[in-house]
Amino acid sequence: MTLIKLDQKCIKSVQPASIFALALSNPRSWLARFARTSILSVLSDAISVGQLTITDSEGSRTYGRYRKGSNTVQLAVINDAFWLRLMFSGDLGFSEAYMVGDIEVEDLKSCMDLWLDNQTGMEETLSSSFARISSAASGLYNSFFGQTKNQARLNAIASYDQSNTLFKAFLSHEMMYSCALWDDAEGGVRGDLEMGSTPGDLEAAQRRKIHHVLRKARVKPGHRVLEFGSGWGGLAIEAVRTFGCEVDTLTLSVEQKTLAEERIRAAGLENKIRVHLMDYREIPPEFENAFDAFVSIEMLEHVGAKHYQTYFKLVDFALKSRDATAVVSASTFPESRYTGYQSEDFMRRYMWPNSCLPSATALITAAQVASHGRFTLECVENHAAHYPRTLREWGRRLEKNLSQEMIAQDYPALRERANYDAFRKKWQYLFVYAGAGFAKGYITCHMLTFIRQNDCPELCD
């Protein structure tokens, strides 16, 4: 979702006399009113699919047209700070307003779908010279929000995501924080909507994903596997237990390493799995040509565009020169939307700071350049259709299992109810926001399999 930019005509909708009077009496109130008038003035042209009703202290206004099957969204503005957040920060500002309670939305998913259904109209209509005013005015953002309690709350919850307790509350038993693969046994990618969820569905789908990855990596008994991004050891444990290999896995999280090693010991596999607290760029010389297979599941989002070639150069370094396979997966942008520079949005501000979604083409190109042609692309898969259900399942589990008392043991600041509510809403927003993006094709999820240049190909599943 892109930053909202407004049309020149919205500037004319606020009379000079009223602007002057408001600006003298209360600069923030004036700017909020100006933002409100500016934004509302262009919504009629921006929304052509579905219907949006906005209610605030001055009444209700409806935009778009109701049609059967289209999204109908009711949005209540509780605090006029919403208009400022939206004007200054667009997508990011909307998420912040939701988290701190500046707005209330009856159906967040329908709201996300409405935006994506009207993305072209939004981008074409909410444009032109007001963008320059908005850009210049954004320097005032910290003056209005920097020291407020709500902004302090947002700053705090941005870093409350290293708790193993949190992830245990919504992940499957394997603790895979990545897209599951659904099949007929669970009713497919919409089984939860059509038949309802049943216990064990997520676990089965995550085990299927792990096995699929390891089969694509051609892992066999006695093989040595290198993994970038340990998570909590779920893939490494299954690789050793089911496929009979050895695993070296890398993580930068002390919390993940601690719990992964506990789980590995509980499985009796400590002699087969080594968890390294290590940046992938620091792999030791003895890793050269030492591995039969390489796997990395949704870690590439944290590498950054300028480091893709370094990443694949090190994969090439670590794998054997023959009979070796690399499998990588990542949330991705479609090629038409990909750029190496990605501005701050909800994801990059509150979930994964400094992350950058690659495109499949960017990764394939980097792999070929970095390996000097020693990799052959064997298979490309897009798992995006499987992600919305994964996110829905996580959301249900979080609502069921997470409590304020539980998470406050790790983060005492969350004992304050307002902080906890903002924290919980952040995760609700993530699951719906990302789910809508995958469902509408705004983002994708690719898995790429590479083999050595003279290795025999296999059929893609």
Side-chain angles (χ1 to χ4, degrees):
M1 300 181 192
T2 58
L3 174 66
I4 286 185
K5 304 172 183 178
L6 302 174
D7 194 274
Q8 178 69 32
K9 69 179 181 180
C10 65
I11 302 174
K12 300 177 182 177
S13 60
V14 180
Q15 296 300 315
S18 63
I19 292 177
F20 182 72
L22 282 168
L24 287 178
S25 62
N26 186 332
R28 174 168 172 161
S29 176
W30 162 75
L31 193 54
R33 186 174 183 83
F34 177 71
R36 176 186 182 275
T37 304
S38 302
I39 292 166
L40 294 180
S41 71
V42 298
L43 285 178
S44 294
D45 293 331
I47 298 177
S48 60
V49 181
Q51 190 174 72
L52 170 65
T53 299
I54 298 178
T55 302
D56 64 3
S57 59
E58 298 188 28
S60 296
R61 289 169 173 77
T62 298
Y63 304 91
R65 181 181 300 176
Y66 173 76
R67 291 186 178 88
K68 186 176 181 180
S70 64
N71 292 293
T72 301
V73 176
Q74 304 285 333
L75 187 151
V77 179
I78 308 302
N79 188 329
D80 278 350
F82 163 68
W83 303 111
L84 294 176
R85 294 187 189 280
L86 197 61
M87 181 176 75
F88 287 148
S89 300
D91 162 83
L92 176 59
F94 185 90
S95 68
E96 291 177 341
Y98 176 79
M99 290 187 284
V100 301
D102 286 349
I103 56 171
E104 293 178 354
V105 183
E106 287 187 2
D107 185 343
L108 187 58
K109 180 183 182 299
S110 291
C111 187
M112 299 297 174
D113 288 342
L114 183 78
W115 170 270
L116 291 173
D117 286 343
N118 292 279
Q119 184 185 355
T120 300
M122 293 283 193
E123 292 177 348
E124 290 178 354
T125 306
L126 304 177
S127 60
S128 85
S129 59
F130 188 83
R132 293 192 292 273
I133 297 175
S134 178
S135 178
S138 66
L140 300 173
Y141 187 85
N142 285 335
S143 298
F144 290 115
F145 293 116
Q147 302 303 320
T148 66
K149 289 183 179 179
N150 277 347
Q151 198 61 29
R153 187 165 294 127
L154 290 170
N155 291 338
I157 66 170
S159 61
Y160 286 172
D161 293 332
Q162 301 305 312
S163 167
N164 289 331
T165 301
L166 167 69
F167 290 99
K168 285 180 179 179
F170 69 86
L171 295 180
S172 63
H173 175 73
E174 295 78 11
M175 293 192 73
M176 294 295 291
Y177 190 29
S178 57
C179 181
L181 292 183
W182 306 93
D183 207 343
D184 291 343
E186 303 86 40
V189 297
R190 292 181 53 83
D192 60 320
L193 301 177
E194 296 171 353
M195 303 183 304
S197 296
T198 58
D201 278 357
L202 182 58
E203 281 73 14
Q206 290 291 14
R207 283 195 300 273
R208 181 179 298 110
K209 168 69 172 292
I210 293 172
H211 284 211
H212 180 64
V213 169
L214 293 171
R215 284 196 301 270
K216 297 302 293 183
R218 306 185 184 187
V219 173
K220 295 180 174 58
H223 275 185
R224 191 175 176 190
V225 178
L226 176 63
E227 180 186 29
F228 286 176
S230 307
W232 292 269
L235 185 142
I237 290 170
E238 191 65 17
V240 174
R241 185 164 51 199
T242 303
F243 290 78
C245 59
E246 293 189 15
V247 179
D248 285 85
T249 182
L250 278 58
T251 182
L252 290 176
S253 169
V254 174
E255 289 277 336
Q256 286 187 339
K257 182 177 188 293
T258 299
L259 183 55
E261 289 180 332
E262 288 178 8
R263 288 157 53 85
I264 290 163
R265 285 193 296 271
L269 302 174
E270 60 268 31
N271 293 328
K272 296 288 187 178
I273 303 173
R274 293 163 289 279
V275 183
H276 305 271
L277 192 65
M278 180 188 297
D279 188 285
Y280 71 94
R281 289 161 290 196
E282 298 171 349
I283 58 174
E286 56 267 27
F287 276 16
E288 184 174 8
N289 300 136
F291 295 90
D292 302 280
F294 170 86
V295 294
S296 184
I297 307 303
E298 296 187 35
M299 173 268 188
L300 265 161
E301 298 89 332
H302 305 282
V303 168
K306 69 178 183 179
H307 299 298
Y308 294 154
Q309 288 190 30
T310 299
Y311 177 97
F312 283 106
K313 181 178 180 181
L314 292 169
V315 176
D316 178 48
F317 168 85
L319 284 177
K320 293 177 179 178
S321 58
R322 293 292 303 269
D323 299 320
T325 307
V327 177
V328 299
S329 77
S331 295
T332 50
F333 273 130
E335 277 65 21
S336 62
R337 203 167 283 123
Y338 170 74
T339 174
Y341 169 76
Q342 295 170 18
S343 60
E344 188 174 56
D345 62 4
F346 166 74
M347 295 287 202
R348 280 177 282 279
R349 174 67 176 87
Y350 290 104
M351 302 310 302
W352 302 290
N354 302 314
S355 62
C356 178
L357 297 192
S359 70
T361 301
L363 296 180
I364 293 166
T365 301
Q368 296 313 308
V369 172
S371 69
H372 299 286
R374 287 186 290 270
F375 283 136
T376 295
L377 178 66
E378 183 180 46
C379 193
V380 179
E381 302 171 44
N382 184 356
H383 296 159
H386 295 263
Y387 230 139
R389 181 174 179 181
T390 303
L391 291 157
R392 291 193 299 269
E393 296 286 357
W394 288 347
R396 294 185 189 104
R397 292 186 179 214
L398 189 72
E399 287 297 303
K400 177 182 178 181
N401 299 326
L402 186 68
S403 69
Q404 184 176 6
E405 180 182 1
M406 176 195 303
I407 195 66
Q409 293 178 8
D410 290 332
Y411 300 110
L414 296 184
R415 292 195 178 101
E416 183 181 337
R417 186 69 198 186
N419 286 347
Y420 174 72
D421 286 345
F423 175 79
R424 181 175 51 83
K425 283 184 175 181
K426 180 180 79 165
W427 284 91
Q428 291 174 338
Y429 193 90
L430 167 68
F431 296 144
V432 175
Y433 177 93
F438 284 112
K440 296 287 186 178
Y442 187 86
I443 46 179
T444 45
C445 183
H446 281 99
M447 191 173 94
L448 310 176
T449 302
F450 298 93
I451 58 176
R452 286 303 193 185
Q453 70 265 38
N454 294 317
D455 290 352
C456 294
E458 294 182 354
L459 291 174
C460 283
D461 294 338

